[in-house]
Amino acid sequence: MLIRFKRNLEKIAMGLLSFMPEEKDVKKLQETIREYEENDQSHLHLWKEGDDVLGAIGVQIVSDNQLVINHLTVNPSHRDQGIGSRMIAEIHRIYSNKYEIVPSERVKAFYEKAKDDYKSQP
């Protein structure tokens, strides 16, 4: 289930984002989290199953009709279980009626693979 980021989940969100190569530095992670908290055009969503938060997907509204996925990450011990595909599917369900959804360059490869996996499921 996709949930919106809340302040009480900050450490979990930072841990998930740290799996992305460009988000290794603590100061960079703090800046990223602050951006999601303060910018009304940026939204961080977390993937929760039971009591566990297993993934994160961050989006930014860049125009009246376009939304960019800037962050897409899954806990390494839960990869290859379709979580990335389900997160993308939920983002499309939530936002596609208003925005064209495109991946940023840094998540494009993961997005394309996960999107293909999602589309190939029955």
Side-chain angles (χ1 to χ4, degrees):
M1 166 176 58
L2 208 58
I3 61 171
R4 285 289 294 268
F5 167 77
K6 294 179 185 134
R7 187 96 168 123
N8 65 324
L9 297 171
E10 181 176 25
K11 288 183 181 177
I12 293 169
M14 286 177 67
L16 287 164
L17 291 172
S18 73
F19 295 125
M20 296 187 69
E22 64 280 346
E23 296 288 340
K24 296 283 185 201
D25 179 65
V26 174
K27 287 187 185 205
K28 174 67 172 129
L29 282 168
Q30 290 170 332
E31 289 172 18
T32 299
I33 292 293
R34 191 168 31 260
E35 174 71 16
Y36 283 116
E37 288 179 327
E38 296 174 1
N39 183 342
D40 291 341
Q41 302 302 307
S42 295
H43 307 287
L44 182 62
H45 300 272
L46 304 173
W47 185 263
K48 188 172 183 181
E49 290 184 4
D51 292 335
D52 298 324
V53 178
L54 306 176
I57 187 165
V59 300
Q60 181 179 18
I61 299 166
V62 294
S63 70
D64 288 343
N65 63 352
Q66 190 175 64
L67 178 132
V68 174
I69 298 175
N70 285 320
H71 294 95
L72 181 56
T73 182
V74 175
N75 182 316
S77 61
H78 294 277
R79 290 184 180 163
D80 298 320
Q81 297 176 16
I83 294 169
S85 299
R86 292 193 299 263
M87 286 193 297
I88 290 169
E90 279 298 296
I91 291 297
H92 278 268
R93 185 186 66 75
I94 294 167
Y95 294 103
S96 66
N97 62 336
K98 187 169 182 182
Y99 302 103
E100 172 194 13
I101 299 168
V102 297
S104 67
E105 281 302 312
R106 67 178 153 199
V107 302
K108 191 172 186 172
F110 183 21
Y111 175 87
E112 293 300 329
K113 179 188 180 314
K115 186 175 157 195
D116 290 344
D117 289 347
Y118 167 69
K119 286 185 173 181
S120 69
Q121 293 176 4

